Amino acid sequence: DHDAKQEFKDLLLAKMTRYLKGWKRILDKDNTNRCNWYEFQEACRVLGFRGNIGGAWRAFDEDLSGYISLKELDENASKVLLGFRRWAIAEFGSVRQLFTTFDKDKSNSLSFLEWRGAL
């Protein structure tokens, strides 16, 4: 049900302002880079989605993998993150090493100033 899928996306965007934010905070809370049926049902409950849950799920999971990925929710965001990952690996060996290199104060987090200074 592509209408239900769009209704879900509209609600997610209205509540979270960006798909990526909704993905990380509601759909992929366990950071597995995928969302299964049970996680999707919980996301619908949290959002207050009252549409055709099963139909929306089936419209998202067109490849019948049993999971939804960020690409199936927001292909553009997925492409940007994949591009960033590829760049980090090419330049630093890994995303983790990129952040370790930029983390000048060794706080295990990047401040805006550290990020801006590294670029």
Side-chain angles (χ1 to χ4, degrees), residues 13-39:
L13 197 57
K15 297 229 176 177
M16 301 306 294
T17 68
R18 292 183 309 273
Y19 290 127
L20 184 56
K21 185 177 177 182
W23 174 257
K24 294 302 291 175
R25 292 192 181 171
I26 295 178
L27 290 160
D28 184 30
K29 291 166 70 171
D30 62 357
N31 294 314
T32 58
N33 293 320
R34 58 189 193 175
C35 172
N36 66 34
W37 166 243
Y38 302 105
E39 292 167 322

PDB file of all heavy atoms in Angstrom, residues 13-39:
ATOM      1  N   LEU A  13       8.298  12.470   9.122  1.00  0.00           N
ATOM      2  CA  LEU A  13       8.922  13.754   8.814  1.00  0.00           C
ATOM      3  C   LEU A  13       8.326  14.878   9.658  1.00  0.00           C
ATOM      4  O   LEU A  13       9.056  15.737  10.173  1.00  0.00           O
ATOM      5  CB  LEU A  13       8.770  14.063   7.329  1.00  0.00           C
ATOM      6  CG  LEU A  13       9.681  15.123   6.740  1.00  0.00           C
ATOM      7  CD1 LEU A  13      11.141  14.781   6.951  1.00  0.00           C
ATOM      8  CD2 LEU A  13       9.389  15.267   5.253  1.00  0.00           C
ATOM      9  N   ALA A  14       7.035  14.859   9.847  1.00  0.00           N
ATOM     10  CA  ALA A  14       6.369  15.885  10.657  1.00  0.00           C
ATOM     11  C   ALA A  14       6.838  15.834  12.112  1.00  0.00           C
ATOM     12  O   ALA A  14       7.035  16.867  12.743  1.00  0.00           O
ATOM     13  CB  ALA A  14       4.852  15.719  10.588  1.00  0.00           C
ATOM     14  N   LYS A  15       7.055  14.627  12.630  1.00  0.00           N
ATOM     15  CA  LYS A  15       7.445  14.482  14.036  1.00  0.00           C
ATOM     16  C   LYS A  15       8.948  14.631  14.258  1.00  0.00           C
ATOM     17  O   LYS A  15       9.367  15.084  15.321  1.00  0.00           O
ATOM     18  CB  LYS A  15       6.990  13.129  14.573  1.00  0.00           C
ATOM     19  CG  LYS A  15       5.481  12.986  14.557  1.00  0.00           C
ATOM     20  CD  LYS A  15       4.966  12.513  15.858  1.00  0.00           C
ATOM     21  CE  LYS A  15       3.454  12.491  15.795  1.00  0.00           C
ATOM     22  NZ  LYS A  15       2.866  11.983  16.990  1.00  0.00           N
ATOM     23  N   MET A  16       9.751  14.253  13.268  1.00  0.00           N
ATOM     24  CA  MET A  16      11.198  14.215  13.468  1.00  0.00           C
ATOM     25  C   MET A  16      11.969  15.261  12.647  1.00  0.00           C
ATOM     26  O   MET A  16      13.159  15.405  12.834  1.00  0.00           O
ATOM     27  CB  MET A  16      11.737  12.814  13.143  1.00  0.00           C
ATOM     28  CG  MET A  16      11.129  11.712  13.993  1.00  0.00           C
ATOM     29  SD  MET A  16      11.251  11.973  15.776  1.00  0.00           S
ATOM     30  CE  MET A  16      13.003  11.871  16.023  1.00  0.00           C
ATOM     31  N   THR A  17      11.347  15.920  11.713  1.00  0.00           N
ATOM     32  CA  THR A  17      11.894  16.966  10.827  1.00  0.00           C
ATOM     33  C   THR A  17      12.841  16.462   9.743  1.00  0.00           C
ATOM     34  O   THR A  17      12.997  17.121   8.730  1.00  0.00           O
ATOM     35  CB  THR A  17      12.576  18.128  11.593  1.00  0.00           C
ATOM     36  OG1 THR A  17      13.767  17.686  12.223  1.00  0.00           O
ATOM     37  CG2 THR A  17      11.622  18.757  12.599  1.00  0.00           C
ATOM     38  N   ARG A  18      13.490  15.327   9.971  1.00  0.00           N
ATOM     39  CA  ARG A  18      14.369  14.726   8.958  1.00  0.00           C
ATOM     40  C   ARG A  18      14.217  13.207   9.037  1.00  0.00           C
ATOM     41  O   ARG A  18      14.120  12.644  10.127  1.00  0.00           O
ATOM     42  CB  ARG A  18      15.833  15.103   9.210  1.00  0.00           C
ATOM     43  CG  ARG A  18      16.133  16.570   8.994  1.00  0.00           C
ATOM     44  CD  ARG A  18      17.611  16.885   9.190  1.00  0.00           C
ATOM     45  NE  ARG A  18      18.172  16.387  10.441  1.00  0.00           N
ATOM     46  CZ  ARG A  18      18.149  17.037  11.600  1.00  0.00           C
ATOM     47  NH1 ARG A  18      17.582  18.198  11.688  1.00  0.00           N
ATOM     48  NH2 ARG A  18      18.701  16.502  12.669  1.00  0.00           N
ATOM     49  N   TYR A  19      14.264  12.560   7.877  1.00  0.00           N
ATOM     50  CA  TYR A  19      14.150  11.099   7.864  1.00  0.00           C
ATOM     51  C   TYR A  19      15.297  10.442   8.619  1.00  0.00           C
ATOM     52  O   TYR A  19      15.100   9.466   9.335  1.00  0.00           O
ATOM     53  CB  TYR A  19      14.107  10.560   6.436  1.00  0.00           C
ATOM     54  CG  TYR A  19      12.843  10.881   5.694  1.00  0.00           C
ATOM     55  CD1 TYR A  19      12.898  11.492   4.446  1.00  0.00           C
ATOM     56  CD2 TYR A  19      11.596  10.578   6.220  1.00  0.00           C
ATOM     57  CE1 TYR A  19      11.739  11.785   3.748  1.00  0.00           C
ATOM     58  CE2 TYR A  19      10.434  10.872   5.536  1.00  0.00           C
ATOM     59  CZ  TYR A  19      10.513  11.479   4.291  1.00  0.00           C
ATOM     60  OH  TYR A  19       9.370  11.770   3.614  1.00  0.00           O
ATOM     61  N   LEU A  20      16.505  10.959   8.468  1.00  0.00           N
ATOM     62  CA  LEU A  20      17.649  10.339   9.126  1.00  0.00           C
ATOM     63  C   LEU A  20      17.497  10.380  10.643  1.00  0.00           C
ATOM     64  O   LEU A  20      17.799   9.404  11.336  1.00  0.00           O
ATOM     65  CB  LEU A  20      18.951  11.033   8.704  1.00  0.00           C
ATOM     66  CG  LEU A  20      20.241  10.424   9.246  1.00  0.00           C
ATOM     67  CD1 LEU A  20      20.361   8.942   8.881  1.00  0.00           C
ATOM     68  CD2 LEU A  20      21.434  11.207   8.735  1.00  0.00           C
ATOM     69  N   LYS A  21      16.991  11.470  11.154  1.00  0.00           N
ATOM     70  CA  LYS A  21      16.748  11.586  12.598  1.00  0.00           C
ATOM     71  C   LYS A  21      15.700  10.552  13.038  1.00  0.00           C
ATOM     72  O   LYS A  21      15.874   9.869  14.048  1.00  0.00           O
ATOM     73  CB  LYS A  21      16.275  12.997  12.918  1.00  0.00           C
ATOM     74  CG  LYS A  21      16.089  13.290  14.381  1.00  0.00           C
ATOM     75  CD  LYS A  21      15.691  14.761  14.553  1.00  0.00           C
ATOM     76  CE  LYS A  21      15.421  15.116  15.972  1.00  0.00           C
ATOM     77  NZ  LYS A  21      14.989  16.528  16.098  1.00  0.00           N
ATOM     78  N   GLY A  22      14.639  10.413  12.266  1.00  0.00           N
ATOM     79  CA  GLY A  22      13.620   9.409  12.562  1.00  0.00           C
ATOM     80  C   GLY A  22      14.160   7.998  12.455  1.00  0.00           C
ATOM     81  O   GLY A  22      13.814   7.121  13.256  1.00  0.00           O
ATOM     82  N   TRP A  23      15.008   7.778  11.478  1.00  0.00           N
ATOM     83  CA  TRP A  23      15.626   6.465  11.299  1.00  0.00           C
ATOM     84  C   TRP A  23      16.419   6.083  12.544  1.00  0.00           C
ATOM     85  O   TRP A  23      16.261   5.000  13.094  1.00  0.00           O
ATOM     86  CB  TRP A  23      16.522   6.460  10.060  1.00  0.00           C
ATOM     87  CG  TRP A  23      17.293   5.195   9.894  1.00  0.00           C
ATOM     88  CD1 TRP A  23      18.605   4.986  10.174  1.00  0.00           C
ATOM     89  CD2 TRP A  23      16.778   3.932   9.440  1.00  0.00           C
ATOM     90  NE1 TRP A  23      18.951   3.681   9.918  1.00  0.00           N
ATOM     91  CE2 TRP A  23      17.843   3.019   9.461  1.00  0.00           C
ATOM     92  CE3 TRP A  23      15.520   3.501   9.006  1.00  0.00           C
ATOM     93  CZ2 TRP A  23      17.700   1.700   9.074  1.00  0.00           C
ATOM     94  CZ3 TRP A  23      15.378   2.177   8.620  1.00  0.00           C
ATOM     95  CH2 TRP A  23      16.456   1.289   8.653  1.00  0.00           C
ATOM     96  N   LYS A  24      17.293   6.979  13.002  1.00  0.00           N
ATOM     97  CA  LYS A  24      18.158   6.674  14.131  1.00  0.00           C
ATOM     98  C   LYS A  24      17.400   6.602  15.460  1.00  0.00           C
ATOM     99  O   LYS A  24      17.715   5.772  16.300  1.00  0.00           O
ATOM    100  CB  LYS A  24      19.282   7.712  14.251  1.00  0.00           C
ATOM    101  CG  LYS A  24      20.259   7.700  13.093  1.00  0.00           C
ATOM    102  CD  LYS A  24      20.930   6.370  12.873  1.00  0.00           C
ATOM    103  CE  LYS A  24      21.897   6.014  13.966  1.00  0.00           C
ATOM    104  NZ  LYS A  24      22.472   4.676  13.822  1.00  0.00           N
ATOM    105  N   ARG A  25      16.403   7.454  15.645  1.00  0.00           N
ATOM    106  CA  ARG A  25      15.740   7.536  16.954  1.00  0.00           C
ATOM    107  C   ARG A  25      14.514   6.642  17.090  1.00  0.00           C
ATOM    108  O   ARG A  25      14.139   6.286  18.207  1.00  0.00           O
ATOM    109  CB  ARG A  25      15.336   8.978  17.242  1.00  0.00           C
ATOM    110  CG  ARG A  25      16.533   9.864  17.461  1.00  0.00           C
ATOM    111  CD  ARG A  25      16.152  11.187  18.014  1.00  0.00           C
ATOM    112  NE  ARG A  25      17.340  12.012  18.177  1.00  0.00           N
ATOM    113  CZ  ARG A  25      17.299  13.280  18.489  1.00  0.00           C
ATOM    114  NH1 ARG A  25      16.146  13.881  18.685  1.00  0.00           N
ATOM    115  NH2 ARG A  25      18.405  13.965  18.613  1.00  0.00           N
ATOM    116  N   ILE A  26      13.901   6.270  15.967  1.00  0.00           N
ATOM    117  CA  ILE A  26      12.652   5.516  16.062  1.00  0.00           C
ATOM    118  C   ILE A  26      12.725   4.159  15.365  1.00  0.00           C
ATOM    119  O   ILE A  26      12.277   3.160  15.917  1.00  0.00           O
ATOM    120  CB  ILE A  26      11.480   6.340  15.501  1.00  0.00           C
ATOM    121  CG1 ILE A  26      11.263   7.574  16.370  1.00  0.00           C
ATOM    122  CG2 ILE A  26      10.202   5.515  15.415  1.00  0.00           C
ATOM    123  CD1 ILE A  26      10.176   8.496  15.904  1.00  0.00           C
ATOM    124  N   LEU A  27      13.294   4.098  14.178  1.00  0.00           N
ATOM    125  CA  LEU A  27      13.273   2.854  13.410  1.00  0.00           C
ATOM    126  C   LEU A  27      14.481   1.948  13.672  1.00  0.00           C
ATOM    127  O   LEU A  27      14.328   0.738  13.777  1.00  0.00           O
ATOM    128  CB  LEU A  27      13.176   3.168  11.913  1.00  0.00           C
ATOM    129  CG  LEU A  27      11.829   3.740  11.487  1.00  0.00           C
ATOM    130  CD1 LEU A  27      11.940   4.474  10.156  1.00  0.00           C
ATOM    131  CD2 LEU A  27      10.797   2.635  11.390  1.00  0.00           C
ATOM    132  N   ASP A  28      15.669   2.514  13.775  1.00  0.00           N
ATOM    133  CA  ASP A  28      16.884   1.713  13.962  1.00  0.00           C
ATOM    134  C   ASP A  28      17.523   2.017  15.313  1.00  0.00           C
ATOM    135  O   ASP A  28      18.691   2.365  15.407  1.00  0.00           O
ATOM    136  CB  ASP A  28      17.876   1.986  12.816  1.00  0.00           C
ATOM    137  CG  ASP A  28      19.113   1.110  12.898  1.00  0.00           C
ATOM    138  OD1 ASP A  28      19.023  -0.027  13.407  1.00  0.00           O
ATOM    139  OD2 ASP A  28      20.188   1.564  12.464  1.00  0.00           O
ATOM    140  N   LYS A  29      16.760   1.855  16.357  1.00  0.00           N
ATOM    141  CA  LYS A  29      17.227   2.198  17.702  1.00  0.00           C
ATOM    142  C   LYS A  29      18.380   1.312  18.168  1.00  0.00           C
ATOM    143  O   LYS A  29      19.184   1.714  19.000  1.00  0.00           O
ATOM    144  CB  LYS A  29      16.069   2.128  18.689  1.00  0.00           C
ATOM    145  CG  LYS A  29      15.050   3.234  18.469  1.00  0.00           C
ATOM    146  CD  LYS A  29      13.754   3.012  19.185  1.00  0.00           C
ATOM    147  CE  LYS A  29      13.865   3.142  20.658  1.00  0.00           C
ATOM    148  NZ  LYS A  29      12.554   3.131  21.333  1.00  0.00           N
ATOM    149  N   ASP A  30      18.507   0.109  17.601  1.00  0.00           N
ATOM    150  CA  ASP A  30      19.575  -0.803  18.016  1.00  0.00           C
ATOM    151  C   ASP A  30      20.825  -0.702  17.138  1.00  0.00           C
ATOM    152  O   ASP A  30      21.763  -1.469  17.280  1.00  0.00           O
ATOM    153  CB  ASP A  30      19.077  -2.247  18.077  1.00  0.00           C
ATOM    154  CG  ASP A  30      18.597  -2.775  16.728  1.00  0.00           C
ATOM    155  OD1 ASP A  30      18.592  -2.027  15.730  1.00  0.00           O
ATOM    156  OD2 ASP A  30      18.208  -3.963  16.682  1.00  0.00           O
ATOM    157  N   ASN A  31      20.833   0.258  16.218  1.00  0.00           N
ATOM    158  CA  ASN A  31      21.996   0.533  15.356  1.00  0.00           C
ATOM    159  C   ASN A  31      22.466  -0.660  14.532  1.00  0.00           C
ATOM    160  O   ASN A  31      23.657  -0.864  14.340  1.00  0.00           O
ATOM    161  CB  ASN A  31      23.170   1.077  16.194  1.00  0.00           C
ATOM    162  CG  ASN A  31      22.859   2.420  16.778  1.00  0.00           C
ATOM    163  OD1 ASN A  31      22.359   3.313  16.094  1.00  0.00           O
ATOM    164  ND2 ASN A  31      23.132   2.582  18.057  1.00  0.00           N
ATOM    165  N   THR A  32      21.526  -1.436  14.020  1.00  0.00           N
ATOM    166  CA  THR A  32      21.881  -2.563  13.162  1.00  0.00           C
ATOM    167  C   THR A  32      21.850  -2.188  11.684  1.00  0.00           C
ATOM    168  O   THR A  32      22.136  -3.009  10.831  1.00  0.00           O
ATOM    169  CB  THR A  32      20.914  -3.742  13.379  1.00  0.00           C
ATOM    170  OG1 THR A  32      19.580  -3.300  13.109  1.00  0.00           O
ATOM    171  CG2 THR A  32      21.027  -4.302  14.788  1.00  0.00           C
ATOM    172  N   ASN A  33      21.471  -0.955  11.390  1.00  0.00           N
ATOM    173  CA  ASN A  33      21.327  -0.452  10.019  1.00  0.00           C
ATOM    174  C   ASN A  33      20.197  -1.129   9.263  1.00  0.00           C
ATOM    175  O   ASN A  33      20.191  -1.166   8.032  1.00  0.00           O
ATOM    176  CB  ASN A  33      22.642  -0.556   9.233  1.00  0.00           C
ATOM    177  CG  ASN A  33      23.690   0.369   9.781  1.00  0.00           C
ATOM    178  OD1 ASN A  33      23.400   1.499  10.158  1.00  0.00           O
ATOM    179  ND2 ASN A  33      24.913  -0.115   9.862  1.00  0.00           N
ATOM    180  N   ARG A  34      19.253  -1.635  10.013  1.00  0.00           N
ATOM    181  CA  ARG A  34      18.044  -2.193   9.414  1.00  0.00           C
ATOM    182  C   ARG A  34      16.932  -2.214  10.446  1.00  0.00           C
ATOM    183  O   ARG A  34      17.177  -2.175  11.648  1.00  0.00           O
ATOM    184  CB  ARG A  34      18.289  -3.576   8.825  1.00  0.00           C
ATOM    185  CG  ARG A  34      18.799  -4.582   9.804  1.00  0.00           C
ATOM    186  CD  ARG A  34      19.221  -5.843   9.088  1.00  0.00           C
ATOM    187  NE  ARG A  34      19.434  -6.924  10.031  1.00  0.00           N
ATOM    188  CZ  ARG A  34      19.720  -8.148   9.683  1.00  0.00           C
ATOM    189  NH1 ARG A  34      19.832  -8.455   8.419  1.00  0.00           N
ATOM    190  NH2 ARG A  34      19.885  -9.076  10.579  1.00  0.00           N
ATOM    191  N   CYS A  35      15.713  -2.298   9.949  1.00  0.00           N
ATOM    192  CA  CYS A  35      14.524  -2.272  10.798  1.00  0.00           C
ATOM    193  C   CYS A  35      13.674  -3.480  10.438  1.00  0.00           C
ATOM    194  O   CYS A  35      13.290  -3.644   9.275  1.00  0.00           O
ATOM    195  CB  CYS A  35      13.762  -0.964  10.549  1.00  0.00           C
ATOM    196  SG  CYS A  35      12.146  -0.863  11.335  1.00  0.00           S
ATOM    197  N   ASN A  36      13.388  -4.343  11.415  1.00  0.00           N
ATOM    198  CA  ASN A  36      12.561  -5.515  11.130  1.00  0.00           C
ATOM    199  C   ASN A  36      11.081  -5.189  11.382  1.00  0.00           C
ATOM    200  O   ASN A  36      10.724  -4.091  11.806  1.00  0.00           O
ATOM    201  CB  ASN A  36      13.036  -6.734  11.929  1.00  0.00           C
ATOM    202  CG  ASN A  36      12.852  -6.587  13.423  1.00  0.00           C
ATOM    203  OD1 ASN A  36      11.895  -5.974  13.916  1.00  0.00           O
ATOM    204  ND2 ASN A  36      13.772  -7.164  14.176  1.00  0.00           N
ATOM    205  N   TRP A  37      10.227  -6.153  11.136  1.00  0.00           N
ATOM    206  CA  TRP A  37       8.781  -5.976  11.259  1.00  0.00           C
ATOM    207  C   TRP A  37       8.377  -5.526  12.661  1.00  0.00           C
ATOM    208  O   TRP A  37       7.558  -4.636  12.829  1.00  0.00           O
ATOM    209  CB  TRP A  37       8.074  -7.269  10.862  1.00  0.00           C
ATOM    210  CG  TRP A  37       6.633  -7.352  11.240  1.00  0.00           C
ATOM    211  CD1 TRP A  37       6.067  -8.243  12.101  1.00  0.00           C
ATOM    212  CD2 TRP A  37       5.547  -6.534  10.761  1.00  0.00           C
ATOM    213  NE1 TRP A  37       4.717  -8.023  12.193  1.00  0.00           N
ATOM    214  CE2 TRP A  37       4.363  -6.981  11.380  1.00  0.00           C
ATOM    215  CE3 TRP A  37       5.466  -5.462   9.881  1.00  0.00           C
ATOM    216  CZ2 TRP A  37       3.126  -6.403  11.144  1.00  0.00           C
ATOM    217  CZ3 TRP A  37       4.226  -4.877   9.646  1.00  0.00           C
ATOM    218  CH2 TRP A  37       3.073  -5.347  10.274  1.00  0.00           C
ATOM    219  N   TYR A  38       8.975  -6.136  13.689  1.00  0.00           N
ATOM    220  CA  TYR A  38       8.607  -5.807  15.068  1.00  0.00           C
ATOM    221  C   TYR A  38       9.043  -4.382  15.427  1.00  0.00           C
ATOM    222  O   TYR A  38       8.312  -3.657  16.097  1.00  0.00           O
ATOM    223  CB  TYR A  38       9.197  -6.835  16.036  1.00  0.00           C
ATOM    224  CG  TYR A  38       8.717  -8.229  15.700  1.00  0.00           C
ATOM    225  CD1 TYR A  38       9.559  -9.141  15.081  1.00  0.00           C
ATOM    226  CD2 TYR A  38       7.395  -8.602  15.953  1.00  0.00           C
ATOM    227  CE1 TYR A  38       9.109 -10.406  14.736  1.00  0.00           C
ATOM    228  CE2 TYR A  38       6.940  -9.872  15.612  1.00  0.00           C
ATOM    229  CZ  TYR A  38       7.796 -10.764  14.996  1.00  0.00           C
ATOM    230  OH  TYR A  38       7.349 -12.001  14.644  1.00  0.00           O
ATOM    231  N   GLU A  39      10.220  -4.003  14.959  1.00  0.00           N
ATOM    232  CA  GLU A  39      10.684  -2.630  15.174  1.00  0.00           C
ATOM    233  C   GLU A  39       9.799  -1.628  14.433  1.00  0.00           C
ATOM    234  O   GLU A  39       9.516  -0.544  14.946  1.00  0.00           O
ATOM    235  CB  GLU A  39      12.142  -2.486  14.715  1.00  0.00           C
ATOM    236  CG  GLU A  39      13.125  -3.260  15.572  1.00  0.00           C
ATOM    237  CD  GLU A  39      14.501  -3.373  14.952  1.00  0.00           C
ATOM    238  OE1 GLU A  39      14.613  -3.538  13.712  1.00  0.00           O
ATOM    239  OE2 GLU A  39      15.484  -3.298  15.713  1.00  0.00           O
TER     240      GLU A  39
END
